Amino acid sequence: MWHSDQVPKRVDHDQRRREIAEALFRIAATQSLQAVTLRAVAAEAGISMFQVQYYFPAKEQMLQYAWHRITELSGERSGRSIAEALRTGDERAVVRACLLSVLPTDERSRMLCAVQIAYFAVDVTRGGQPPDQQAMLPHLVRLLAGQLDQAQQRGGVPAHFDTRLEADALATMTAGLLSAMLVEAYDTEQATRIIDYRLGHLFAG
Amino acid sequence: MWHSDQVPKRVDHDQRRREIAEALFRIAATQSLQAVTLRAVAAEAGISMFQVQYYFPAKEQMLQYAWHRITELSGERSGRSIAEALRTGDERAVVRACLLSVLPTDERSRMLCAVQIAYFAVDVTRGGQPPDQQAMLPHLVRLLAGQLDQAQQRGGVPAHFDTRLEADALATMTAGLLSAMLVEAYDTEQATRIIDYRLGHLFAG
């Protein structure tokens, strides 16, 4: 019986933390991370300062949780489309899903990408301090390189391509497309065409 | 004779504005753009608030001038290495200079790139407002596409490459490398290897 007491509570706590993070995202995406305070987030979430402080005694803990949450949300989004592509057993489809799934293609992902850029800017504007962020780029590069290796062994990618350097080039190109899309230098269709063009050369030879 | 009265004054004014911008860069690069105030910049530059306000009555004007100055400094840096490459008459050398010259390869360029990211973050975290920044990416893409076209006409780039899409891919890859270098995901040597690898495929066929 103790389970029915405990489990819903845990779910509620997680739910409340996520609501607080969503309020933080909205403030960061429309103002800045510097505009984020416990008071501003409480007002945006429509709850009391006391409740925010119950979950996050200090602003720094709230910011860290929100960063953790944003990587979780990005991971879930990418994970779904990569899992779908993996079922096809086609490395090109997997690589394509890896690249497209990180781009800001709708209002929700635009907001989350803008918040990620805001965190990134805080990280790079602190002189010599090491970055807080767990780097996502190396993970993407490893994933891409693994798929390209596999495709190369099966003959889908010609032997004269260096899979690791191609993975580096594709991952950084996607990071650049992400930023460029946020200032409307490219739309989703253009970004997709650029990615497909590159994959066409890589996979056809 | 009036010239000798006028010209040095203009030079002094420009010099003073640039010193103020440099103080602003140091604050933005080690704290944040939000930490930039007329007072903080005056203290950092070692001059009075009155002097800062003489040049920039409001913070917004100071921020705009500093953005203008950073694009000027980046332009000068790129311009020098591109001009040198243009003298060789070799499109591959020009494309290479375009890409490498925007990367943060020393302390000075790291600082300026970090400040550019800070401005970028402010631009993308204001909801639906159009960006203040004059986009630099489209200029880079046009420059690259022009060089690739010329190389293709001379047989240096095989006909099956789409020069515009290659220019998009190279420019966004470079933007992604720039960001990744700021968090030390790549060093200058690695970034150069990735760029040279891509150019090797493009120019050799």
Side-chain angles (χ1 to χ4, degrees), chain A residues 28-32 34 114 120-121 124-127 137 141 160-162 166 168 172-173 176 179-180 183 186 194 197-198 201, chain B residues 28-32 34 114 120-121 124-127 137 141 160-162 166 168-169 172-173 176 179-180 183 186 194 197-198 201:
Chain A
T30 52
Q31 300 174 51
S32 72
Q34 282 78 10
F120 184 73
V124 299
T125 54
R126 295 185 312 168
L137 199 69
V141 170
H160 68 279
F161 287 116
D162 181 312
E166 289 290 350
D168 289 323
T172 51
M173 178 184 81
S179 302
V183 288
Y186 295 103
I194 296 165
Y197 169 79
R198 287 281 291 123
H201 274 272
Chain B
T30 53
Q31 299 173 54
S32 73
Q34 283 76 10
F120 184 74
V124 298
T125 55
R126 296 183 312 167
L137 199 70
V141 170
H160 68 278
F161 287 115
D162 181 313
E166 289 289 350
D168 289 323
T172 51
M173 178 183 80
S179 302
V183 289
Y186 295 104
I194 296 165
Y197 169 79
R198 286 282 290 123
H201 275 270

CSV table of all heavy atoms in Angstrom, one decimal, chain A residues 28-32 34 114 120-121 124-127 137 141 160-162 166 168 172-173 176 179-180 183 186 194 197-198 201, chain B residues 28-32 34 114 120-121 124-127 137 141 160-162 166 168-169 172-173 176 179-180 183 186 194 197-198 201:
chain,number,residue,atom,x,y,z
A,28,ALA,N,13.7,32.7,-20.7
A,28,ALA,CA,15.0,32.8,-21.4
A,28,ALA,C,14.8,33.0,-22.9
A,28,ALA,O,15.6,33.7,-23.5
A,28,ALA,CB,15.7,31.5,-21.1
A,29,ALA,N,13.8,32.4,-23.4
A,29,ALA,CA,13.6,32.5,-24.9
A,29,ALA,C,13.1,33.8,-25.4
A,29,ALA,O,13.3,34.2,-26.5
A,29,ALA,CB,12.7,31.4,-25.4
A,30,THR,N,12.4,34.6,-24.5
A,30,THR,CA,11.8,35.8,-24.9
A,30,THR,C,12.6,37.0,-24.3
A,30,THR,O,12.4,38.1,-24.8
A,30,THR,CB,10.3,35.9,-24.5
A,30,THR,OG1,10.2,35.7,-23.1
A,30,THR,CG2,9.5,35.0,-25.3
A,31,GLN,N,13.4,36.8,-23.2
A,31,GLN,CA,14.1,37.9,-22.7
A,31,GLN,C,15.6,37.5,-22.7
A,31,GLN,O,16.3,37.7,-23.6
A,31,GLN,CB,13.6,38.2,-21.2
A,31,GLN,CG,12.2,38.6,-21.2
A,31,GLN,CD,11.7,38.7,-19.8
A,31,GLN,OE1,12.3,39.4,-19.0
A,31,GLN,NE2,10.5,38.1,-19.5
A,32,SER,N,16.0,36.7,-21.7
A,32,SER,CA,17.4,36.2,-21.6
A,32,SER,C,17.5,35.4,-20.4
A,32,SER,O,16.7,35.4,-19.5
A,32,SER,CB,18.4,37.4,-21.6
A,32,SER,OG,18.4,37.9,-20.3
A,34,GLN,N,19.7,35.9,-18.2
A,34,GLN,CA,20.0,36.8,-17.1
A,34,GLN,C,18.7,37.4,-16.5
A,34,GLN,O,18.7,37.8,-15.4
A,34,GLN,CB,20.8,38.0,-17.6
A,34,GLN,CG,22.3,37.6,-17.8
A,34,GLN,CD,22.6,36.8,-19.0
A,34,GLN,OE1,21.8,36.7,-19.9
A,34,GLN,NE2,23.8,36.2,-19.1
A,114,ALA,N,16.8,28.2,-29.0
A,114,ALA,CA,17.1,29.6,-28.6
A,114,ALA,C,17.7,29.5,-27.1
A,114,ALA,O,18.6,30.2,-26.8
A,114,ALA,CB,16.0,30.5,-28.7
A,120,PHE,N,24.7,28.5,-24.0
A,120,PHE,CA,26.0,28.4,-24.7
A,120,PHE,C,26.7,29.7,-24.5
A,120,PHE,O,27.9,29.8,-24.2
A,120,PHE,CB,25.8,28.0,-26.1
A,120,PHE,CG,27.1,27.8,-26.9
A,120,PHE,CD1,27.8,26.7,-26.7
A,120,PHE,CD2,27.5,28.8,-27.8
A,120,PHE,CE1,29.0,26.5,-27.3
A,120,PHE,CE2,28.7,28.6,-28.4
A,120,PHE,CZ,29.5,27.5,-28.2
A,121,ALA,N,26.0,30.8,-24.8
A,121,ALA,CA,26.6,32.2,-24.7
A,121,ALA,C,27.1,32.4,-23.3
A,121,ALA,O,28.2,33.0,-23.1
A,121,ALA,CB,25.6,33.2,-25.1
A,124,VAL,N,30.4,30.5,-22.9
A,124,VAL,CA,31.6,31.0,-23.6
A,124,VAL,C,32.0,32.4,-23.2
A,124,VAL,O,33.0,32.9,-23.6
A,124,VAL,CB,31.5,30.9,-25.1
A,124,VAL,CG1,31.3,29.5,-25.6
A,124,VAL,CG2,30.4,31.8,-25.6
A,125,THR,N,31.2,33.0,-22.3
A,125,THR,CA,31.5,34.4,-21.9
A,125,THR,C,31.9,34.5,-20.5
A,125,THR,O,31.5,35.3,-19.7
A,125,THR,CB,30.4,35.4,-22.2
A,125,THR,OG1,29.2,34.9,-21.6
A,125,THR,CG2,30.1,35.6,-23.7
A,126,ARG,N,32.8,33.5,-20.1
A,126,ARG,CA,33.2,33.5,-18.7
A,126,ARG,C,34.7,33.4,-18.6
A,126,ARG,O,35.2,32.7,-17.7
A,126,ARG,CB,32.5,32.4,-17.9
A,126,ARG,CG,31.0,32.7,-17.8
A,126,ARG,CD,30.4,31.6,-16.9
A,126,ARG,NE,30.9,30.3,-17.3
A,126,ARG,CZ,30.7,29.2,-16.6
A,126,ARG,NH1,30.1,29.2,-15.5
A,126,ARG,NH2,31.2,28.0,-17.1
A,127,GLY,N,35.4,33.9,-19.6
A,127,GLY,CA,36.9,33.9,-19.6
A,127,GLY,C,37.4,32.5,-19.6
A,127,GLY,O,36.9,31.7,-20.4
A,137,LEU,N,28.0,17.7,-29.0
A,137,LEU,CA,28.6,17.5,-30.4
A,137,LEU,C,29.4,16.2,-30.4
A,137,LEU,O,29.2,15.4,-31.4
A,137,LEU,CB,29.4,18.7,-30.7
A,137,LEU,CG,29.8,18.9,-32.2
A,137,LEU,CD1,28.6,19.2,-33.0
A,137,LEU,CD2,30.9,19.9,-32.4
A,141,VAL,N,28.9,13.2,-33.2
A,141,VAL,CA,30.0,12.8,-34.1
A,141,VAL,C,30.2,11.3,-34.0
A,141,VAL,O,30.4,10.6,-35.0
A,141,VAL,CB,31.3,13.6,-33.8
A,141,VAL,CG1,32.5,13.0,-34.5
A,141,VAL,CG2,31.1,15.0,-34.1
A,160,HIS,N,37.0,5.8,-50.2
A,160,HIS,CA,37.9,7.0,-50.2
A,160,HIS,C,37.4,8.1,-49.2
A,160,HIS,O,38.0,9.1,-49.0
A,160,HIS,CB,38.1,7.6,-51.6
A,160,HIS,CG,36.9,8.2,-52.2
A,160,HIS,ND1,35.9,7.4,-52.8
A,160,HIS,CD2,36.4,9.5,-52.3
A,160,HIS,CE1,34.9,8.2,-53.3
A,160,HIS,NE2,35.2,9.5,-53.0
A,161,PHE,N,36.2,7.9,-48.6
A,161,PHE,CA,35.7,8.9,-47.6
A,161,PHE,C,36.3,8.5,-46.2
A,161,PHE,O,36.2,7.3,-45.9
A,161,PHE,CB,34.2,8.9,-47.6
A,161,PHE,CG,33.6,9.6,-48.7
A,161,PHE,CD1,32.8,8.9,-49.6
A,161,PHE,CD2,33.8,11.0,-49.0
A,161,PHE,CE1,32.2,9.5,-50.7
A,161,PHE,CE2,33.2,11.6,-50.0
A,161,PHE,CZ,32.4,10.9,-50.9
A,162,ASP,N,36.7,9.5,-45.5
A,162,ASP,CA,37.2,9.3,-44.1
A,162,ASP,C,36.0,9.5,-43.2
A,162,ASP,O,35.5,10.6,-43.1
A,162,ASP,CB,38.3,10.3,-43.8
A,162,ASP,CG,38.8,10.2,-42.4
A,162,ASP,OD1,38.0,10.0,-41.4
A,162,ASP,OD2,40.0,10.2,-42.2
A,166,GLU,N,34.2,13.0,-42.0
A,166,GLU,CA,32.9,13.3,-42.6
A,166,GLU,C,31.9,13.5,-41.4
A,166,GLU,O,31.0,14.4,-41.5
A,166,GLU,CB,32.4,12.1,-43.5
A,166,GLU,CG,33.1,12.0,-44.8
A,166,GLU,CD,32.8,13.1,-45.8
A,166,GLU,OE1,31.8,13.9,-45.5
A,166,GLU,OE2,33.5,13.2,-46.8
A,168,ASP,N,32.6,14.6,-38.4
A,168,ASP,CA,32.9,16.0,-37.9
A,168,ASP,C,32.3,17.0,-38.8
A,168,ASP,O,31.7,18.0,-38.3
A,168,ASP,CB,34.4,16.2,-37.9
A,168,ASP,CG,35.2,15.4,-36.8
A,168,ASP,OD1,34.6,15.2,-35.7
A,168,ASP,OD2,36.3,14.9,-37.1
A,172,THR,N,29.2,19.5,-37.4
A,172,THR,CA,29.4,21.0,-37.3
A,172,THR,C,28.5,21.7,-38.3
A,172,THR,O,28.0,22.8,-38.0
A,172,THR,CB,30.9,21.3,-37.4
A,172,THR,OG1,31.4,20.8,-38.6
A,172,THR,CG2,31.7,20.8,-36.3
A,173,MET,N,28.3,21.2,-39.5
A,173,MET,CA,27.4,21.8,-40.5
A,173,MET,C,26.0,21.9,-39.9
A,173,MET,O,25.4,22.9,-40.0
A,173,MET,CB,27.4,21.0,-41.7
A,173,MET,CG,26.4,21.5,-42.8
A,173,MET,SD,26.3,20.5,-44.3
A,173,MET,CE,25.2,19.2,-43.7
A,176,GLY,N,25.8,24.6,-37.3
A,176,GLY,CA,25.8,25.9,-38.0
A,176,GLY,C,24.4,26.2,-38.6
A,176,GLY,O,23.9,27.3,-38.6
A,179,SER,N,21.9,27.3,-35.9
A,179,SER,CA,22.1,28.7,-35.5
A,179,SER,C,21.5,29.6,-36.7
A,179,SER,O,20.8,30.6,-36.4
A,179,SER,CB,23.5,29.1,-35.3
A,179,SER,OG,24.1,28.4,-34.3
A,180,ALA,N,21.8,29.3,-37.9
A,180,ALA,CA,21.4,30.1,-39.0
A,180,ALA,C,19.9,30.1,-39.2
A,180,ALA,O,19.3,31.1,-39.6
A,180,ALA,CB,22.1,29.6,-40.3
A,183,VAL,N,18.0,32.7,-37.0
A,183,VAL,CA,17.9,34.0,-37.5
A,183,VAL,C,17.4,34.1,-38.9
A,183,VAL,O,17.5,35.0,-39.7
A,183,VAL,CB,19.3,34.8,-37.4
A,183,VAL,CG1,19.6,35.1,-36.0
A,183,VAL,CG2,20.4,34.0,-38.1
A,186,TYR,N,18.2,30.4,-43.1
A,186,TYR,CA,17.7,29.2,-43.8
A,186,TYR,C,16.4,28.7,-43.2
A,186,TYR,O,16.2,28.8,-42.0
A,186,TYR,CB,18.7,28.0,-43.7
A,186,TYR,CG,20.0,28.2,-44.4
A,186,TYR,CD1,21.1,28.5,-43.6
A,186,TYR,CD2,20.1,28.2,-45.8
A,186,TYR,CE1,22.4,28.8,-44.2
A,186,TYR,CE2,21.4,28.4,-46.4
A,186,TYR,CZ,22.5,28.7,-45.6
A,186,TYR,OH,23.7,28.9,-46.2
A,194,ILE,N,20.2,21.0,-48.1
A,194,ILE,CA,21.7,21.0,-47.9
A,194,ILE,C,22.2,19.7,-47.4
A,194,ILE,O,23.1,19.1,-47.8
A,194,ILE,CB,22.1,22.2,-47.0
A,194,ILE,CG1,21.8,23.5,-47.7
A,194,ILE,CG2,23.6,22.1,-46.7
A,194,ILE,CD1,21.8,24.7,-46.8
A,197,TYR,N,21.8,16.9,-50.0
A,197,TYR,CA,22.8,17.1,-51.0
A,197,TYR,C,24.1,16.4,-50.5
A,197,TYR,O,24.7,15.6,-51.2
A,197,TYR,CB,23.0,18.5,-51.3
A,197,TYR,CG,24.2,18.8,-52.1
A,197,TYR,CD1,24.2,18.6,-53.5
A,197,TYR,CD2,25.4,19.2,-51.5
A,197,TYR,CE1,25.4,18.8,-54.2
A,197,TYR,CE2,26.6,19.4,-52.3
A,197,TYR,CZ,26.5,19.2,-53.6
A,197,TYR,OH,27.7,19.4,-54.4
A,198,ARG,N,24.5,16.7,-49.3
A,198,ARG,CA,25.7,16.2,-48.7
A,198,ARG,C,25.6,14.6,-48.6
A,198,ARG,O,26.6,13.9,-48.9
A,198,ARG,CB,26.0,16.8,-47.3
A,198,ARG,CG,26.5,18.2,-47.4
A,198,ARG,CD,28.0,18.3,-47.8
A,198,ARG,NE,28.8,17.8,-46.7
A,198,ARG,CZ,29.7,16.8,-46.8
A,198,ARG,NH1,29.9,16.1,-48.0
A,198,ARG,NH2,30.4,16.4,-45.8
A,201,HIS,N,26.1,12.8,-51.9
A,201,HIS,CA,27.4,12.6,-52.4
A,201,HIS,C,28.2,11.6,-51.6
A,201,HIS,O,28.9,10.8,-52.1
A,201,HIS,CB,28.2,14.0,-52.3
A,201,HIS,CG,28.1,14.8,-53.5
A,201,HIS,ND1,28.9,14.7,-54.6
A,201,HIS,CD2,27.1,15.7,-53.8
A,201,HIS,CE1,28.5,15.5,-55.5
A,201,HIS,NE2,27.4,16.2,-55.0
B,28,ALA,N,31.9,41.9,-21.8
B,28,ALA,CA,31.0,40.9,-22.4
B,28,ALA,C,31.6,39.6,-22.5
B,28,ALA,O,30.9,38.5,-22.3
B,28,ALA,CB,30.6,41.4,-23.8
B,29,ALA,N,32.9,39.5,-22.7
B,29,ALA,CA,33.6,38.2,-22.9
B,29,ALA,C,33.8,37.5,-21.6
B,29,ALA,O,34.0,36.3,-21.6
B,29,ALA,CB,34.9,38.4,-23.7
B,30,THR,N,33.9,38.2,-20.5
B,30,THR,CA,34.2,37.6,-19.2
B,30,THR,C,33.0,37.5,-18.3
B,30,THR,O,33.0,36.7,-17.4
B,30,THR,CB,35.3,38.3,-18.5
B,30,THR,OG1,35.0,39.7,-18.4
B,30,THR,CG2,36.7,38.1,-19.2
B,31,GLN,N,32.0,38.3,-18.6
B,31,GLN,CA,30.7,38.3,-17.8
B,31,GLN,C,29.6,38.0,-18.7
B,31,GLN,O,29.2,36.8,-18.9
B,31,GLN,CB,30.6,39.6,-17.0
B,31,GLN,CG,31.7,39.9,-16.1
B,31,GLN,CD,31.6,41.3,-15.5
B,31,GLN,OE1,30.6,41.6,-14.9
B,31,GLN,NE2,32.7,42.1,-15.6
B,32,SER,N,29.0,39.0,-19.3
B,32,SER,CA,27.9,38.8,-20.3
B,32,SER,C,27.6,40.2,-20.9
B,32,SER,O,28.0,41.2,-20.4
B,32,SER,CB,26.7,38.3,-19.6
B,32,SER,OG,26.1,39.3,-18.8
B,34,GLN,N,24.8,41.4,-20.7
B,34,GLN,CA,23.8,42.0,-19.7
B,34,GLN,C,24.6,42.7,-18.6
B,34,GLN,O,24.0,43.6,-18.0
B,34,GLN,CB,22.9,40.9,-19.1
B,34,GLN,CG,21.8,40.5,-20.1
B,34,GLN,CD,22.2,39.5,-21.2
B,34,GLN,OE1,23.3,39.0,-21.2
B,34,GLN,NE2,21.3,39.3,-22.1
B,114,ALA,N,33.5,35.1,-28.9
B,114,ALA,CA,32.6,34.9,-27.7
B,114,ALA,C,31.7,36.1,-27.6
B,114,ALA,O,30.5,35.9,-27.3
B,114,ALA,CB,33.5,34.8,-26.4
B,120,PHE,N,24.6,37.3,-30.5
B,120,PHE,CA,23.7,36.3,-31.2
B,120,PHE,C,22.6,35.8,-30.3
B,120,PHE,O,21.5,35.8,-30.6
B,120,PHE,CB,24.5,35.2,-31.8
B,120,PHE,CG,23.7,34.2,-32.6
B,120,PHE,CD1,23.3,34.6,-33.9
B,120,PHE,CD2,23.4,33.0,-32.1
B,120,PHE,CE1,22.5,33.7,-34.6
B,120,PHE,CE2,22.6,32.1,-32.9
B,120,PHE,CZ,22.2,32.4,-34.1
B,121,ALA,N,23.1,35.4,-29.1
B,121,ALA,CA,22.1,34.9,-28.1
B,121,ALA,C,21.0,35.9,-27.7
B,121,ALA,O,19.9,35.6,-27.6
B,121,ALA,CB,22.8,34.5,-26.8
B,124,VAL,N,18.5,36.0,-30.6
B,124,VAL,CA,17.6,34.9,-30.8
B,124,VAL,C,16.7,34.7,-29.6
B,124,VAL,O,15.8,33.8,-29.6
B,124,VAL,CB,18.3,33.5,-31.1
B,124,VAL,CG1,19.1,33.7,-32.4
B,124,VAL,CG2,19.2,33.1,-30.0
B,125,THR,N,16.9,35.4,-28.5
B,125,THR,CA,16.1,35.2,-27.3
B,125,THR,C,15.2,36.4,-27.1
B,125,THR,O,15.0,36.9,-26.0
B,125,THR,CB,16.9,35.0,-26.0
B,125,THR,OG1,17.8,36.0,-25.9
B,125,THR,CG2,17.7,33.7,-26.1
B,126,ARG,N,14.5,36.9,-28.2
B,126,ARG,CA,13.6,38.0,-28.0
B,126,ARG,C,12.3,37.7,-28.8
B,126,ARG,O,11.7,38.6,-29.3
B,126,ARG,CB,14.2,39.3,-28.6
B,126,ARG,CG,15.5,39.7,-27.8
B,126,ARG,CD,16.0,41.0,-28.3
B,126,ARG,NE,16.1,40.9,-29.8
B,126,ARG,CZ,16.2,42.0,-30.5
B,126,ARG,NH1,16.3,43.2,-30.0
B,126,ARG,NH2,16.3,41.8,-31.8
B,127,GLY,N,11.9,36.4,-28.7
B,127,GLY,CA,10.6,36.1,-29.3
B,127,GLY,C,10.6,36.4,-30.8
B,127,GLY,O,11.5,36.0,-31.5
B,137,LEU,N,26.6,35.4,-42.6
B,137,LEU,CA,26.6,34.1,-43.3
B,137,LEU,C,26.3,34.2,-44.8
B,137,LEU,O,27.0,33.7,-45.6
B,137,LEU,CB,25.6,33.1,-42.6
B,137,LEU,CG,25.8,31.7,-42.9
B,137,LEU,CD1,27.1,31.1,-42.2
B,137,LEU,CD2,24.7,30.8,-42.4
B,141,VAL,N,28.6,32.9,-47.9
B,141,VAL,CA,28.1,31.9,-48.8
B,141,VAL,C,28.2,32.4,-50.3
B,141,VAL,O,28.7,31.7,-51.2
B,141,VAL,CB,26.6,31.6,-48.6
B,141,VAL,CG1,26.0,30.8,-49.7
B,141,VAL,CG2,26.4,30.8,-47.2
B,160,HIS,N,29.9,17.7,-61.3
B,160,HIS,CA,28.8,17.2,-60.5
B,160,HIS,C,28.6,17.8,-59.1
B,160,HIS,O,27.6,17.5,-58.4
B,160,HIS,CB,28.9,15.6,-60.4
B,160,HIS,CG,30.1,15.2,-59.5
B,160,HIS,ND1,31.4,15.2,-60.0
B,160,HIS,CD2,30.1,14.8,-58.2
B,160,HIS,CE1,32.2,14.7,-59.0
B,160,HIS,NE2,31.5,14.5,-57.9
B,161,PHE,N,29.4,18.7,-58.7
B,161,PHE,CA,29.2,19.4,-57.5
B,161,PHE,C,28.3,20.6,-57.7
B,161,PHE,O,28.5,21.4,-58.7
B,161,PHE,CB,30.5,19.9,-56.8
B,161,PHE,CG,31.3,18.8,-56.2
B,161,PHE,CD1,32.6,18.4,-56.7
B,161,PHE,CD2,30.8,18.1,-55.1
B,161,PHE,CE1,33.3,17.4,-56.2
B,161,PHE,CE2,31.6,17.0,-54.6
B,161,PHE,CZ,32.8,16.7,-55.1
B,162,ASP,N,27.3,20.9,-56.8
B,162,ASP,CA,26.5,22.0,-56.9
B,162,ASP,C,27.2,23.1,-56.0
B,162,ASP,O,27.2,23.0,-54.8
B,162,ASP,CB,25.1,21.7,-56.3
B,162,ASP,CG,24.1,22.9,-56.3
B,162,ASP,OD1,24.5,24.0,-55.9
B,162,ASP,OD2,23.0,22.6,-56.7
B,166,GLU,N,27.3,23.5,-52.0
B,166,GLU,CA,28.6,23.3,-51.3
B,166,GLU,C,29.0,24.5,-50.5
B,166,GLU,O,29.5,24.4,-49.4
B,166,GLU,CB,29.7,23.0,-52.4
B,166,GLU,CG,29.6,21.7,-53.1
B,166,GLU,CD,29.9,20.5,-52.1
B,166,GLU,OE1,30.4,20.7,-51.0
B,166,GLU,OE2,29.6,19.3,-52.5
B,168,ASP,N,26.9,26.7,-49.1
B,168,ASP,CA,26.0,26.6,-47.9
B,168,ASP,C,26.6,25.6,-46.9
B,168,ASP,O,26.7,25.9,-45.7
B,168,ASP,CB,24.6,26.1,-48.3
B,168,ASP,CG,23.8,27.1,-49.0
B,168,ASP,OD1,23.9,28.3,-48.8
B,168,ASP,OD2,23.0,26.7,-49.9
B,169,ALA,N,27.0,24.5,-47.4
B,169,ALA,CA,27.5,23.4,-46.5
B,169,ALA,C,28.9,23.9,-45.8
B,169,ALA,O,29.1,23.7,-44.6
B,169,ALA,CB,27.7,22.1,-47.2
B,172,THR,N,28.1,26.9,-43.2
B,172,THR,CA,27.5,26.5,-42.0
B,172,THR,C,28.4,25.6,-41.2
B,172,THR,O,28.5,25.6,-39.9
B,172,THR,CB,26.1,25.8,-42.2
B,172,THR,OG1,26.3,24.8,-43.2
B,172,THR,CG2,25.1,26.8,-42.7
B,173,MET,N,29.2,24.7,-41.9
B,173,MET,CA,30.2,23.9,-41.2
B,173,MET,C,31.2,24.8,-40.4
B,173,MET,O,31.5,24.5,-39.2
B,173,MET,CB,31.0,23.0,-42.1
B,173,MET,CG,32.0,22.1,-41.5
B,173,MET,SD,33.0,21.2,-42.7
B,173,MET,CE,34.1,22.4,-43.3
B,176,GLY,N,29.6,26.2,-37.3
B,176,GLY,CA,29.6,25.2,-36.3
B,176,GLY,C,31.0,24.9,-35.7
B,176,GLY,O,31.1,24.7,-34.5
B,179,SER,N,31.8,27.7,-33.1
B,179,SER,CA,31.1,27.5,-31.8
B,179,SER,C,31.8,26.4,-31.0
B,179,SER,O,32.1,26.5,-29.9
B,179,SER,CB,29.7,27.1,-32.0
B,179,SER,OG,29.0,28.2,-32.7
B,180,ALA,N,32.1,25.3,-31.8
B,180,ALA,CA,32.7,24.1,-31.1
B,180,ALA,C,34.1,24.4,-30.6
B,180,ALA,O,34.5,23.9,-29.5
B,180,ALA,CB,32.7,22.9,-32.1
B,183,VAL,N,34.2,26.0,-27.0
B,183,VAL,CA,34.1,25.1,-25.9
B,183,VAL,C,35.1,24.0,-26.0
B,183,VAL,O,34.9,22.9,-25.3
B,183,VAL,CB,32.6,24.6,-25.7
B,183,VAL,CG1,31.7,25.7,-25.2
B,183,VAL,CG2,32.1,23.9,-27.0
B,186,TYR,N,37.0,21.2,-30.5
B,186,TYR,CA,38.0,21.1,-31.5
B,186,TYR,C,39.1,22.2,-31.3
B,186,TYR,O,38.7,23.3,-30.9
B,186,TYR,CB,37.4,21.3,-33.0
B,186,TYR,CG,36.4,20.3,-33.4
B,186,TYR,CD1,35.1,20.6,-33.4
B,186,TYR,CD2,36.9,19.0,-33.8
B,186,TYR,CE1,34.1,19.6,-33.8
B,186,TYR,CE2,35.9,18.1,-34.2
B,186,TYR,CZ,34.6,18.3,-34.2
B,186,TYR,OH,33.7,17.4,-34.6
B,194,ILE,N,39.7,19.3,-40.8
B,194,ILE,CA,38.3,19.0,-41.3
B,194,ILE,C,38.1,19.9,-42.6
B,194,ILE,O,37.6,19.4,-43.6
B,194,ILE,CB,37.3,19.3,-40.2
B,194,ILE,CG1,37.5,18.3,-39.0
B,194,ILE,CG2,35.9,19.2,-40.7
B,194,ILE,CD1,36.7,18.8,-37.7
B,197,TYR,N,40.2,18.5,-45.4
B,197,TYR,CA,39.6,17.3,-45.9
B,197,TYR,C,38.4,17.6,-46.9
B,197,TYR,O,38.4,17.0,-48.0
B,197,TYR,CB,39.1,16.4,-44.7
B,197,TYR,CG,38.2,15.3,-45.1
B,197,TYR,CD1,38.8,14.1,-45.6
B,197,TYR,CD2,36.9,15.3,-45.1
B,197,TYR,CE1,38.1,13.0,-46.0
B,197,TYR,CE2,36.1,14.3,-45.5
B,197,TYR,CZ,36.7,13.1,-46.0
B,197,TYR,OH,35.9,12.1,-46.4
B,198,ARG,N,37.5,18.5,-46.5
B,198,ARG,CA,36.4,18.8,-47.4
B,198,ARG,C,36.9,19.4,-48.7
B,198,ARG,O,36.4,19.1,-49.7
B,198,ARG,CB,35.4,19.8,-46.6
B,198,ARG,CG,34.6,19.1,-45.5
B,198,ARG,CD,33.4,18.3,-46.1
B,198,ARG,NE,32.4,19.2,-46.6
B,198,ARG,CZ,32.0,19.2,-47.9
B,198,ARG,NH1,32.5,18.3,-48.8
B,198,ARG,NH2,31.1,20.0,-48.3
B,201,HIS,N,38.2,16.9,-51.2
B,201,HIS,CA,37.2,16.2,-52.0
B,201,HIS,C,36.6,17.1,-53.0
B,201,HIS,O,36.4,16.6,-54.2
B,201,HIS,CB,36.1,15.6,-51.1
B,201,HIS,CG,36.5,14.3,-50.5
B,201,HIS,ND1,36.2,13.1,-51.1
B,201,HIS,CD2,37.2,14.0,-49.4
B,201,HIS,CE1,36.7,12.1,-50.4
B,201,HIS,NE2,37.3,12.6,-49.3
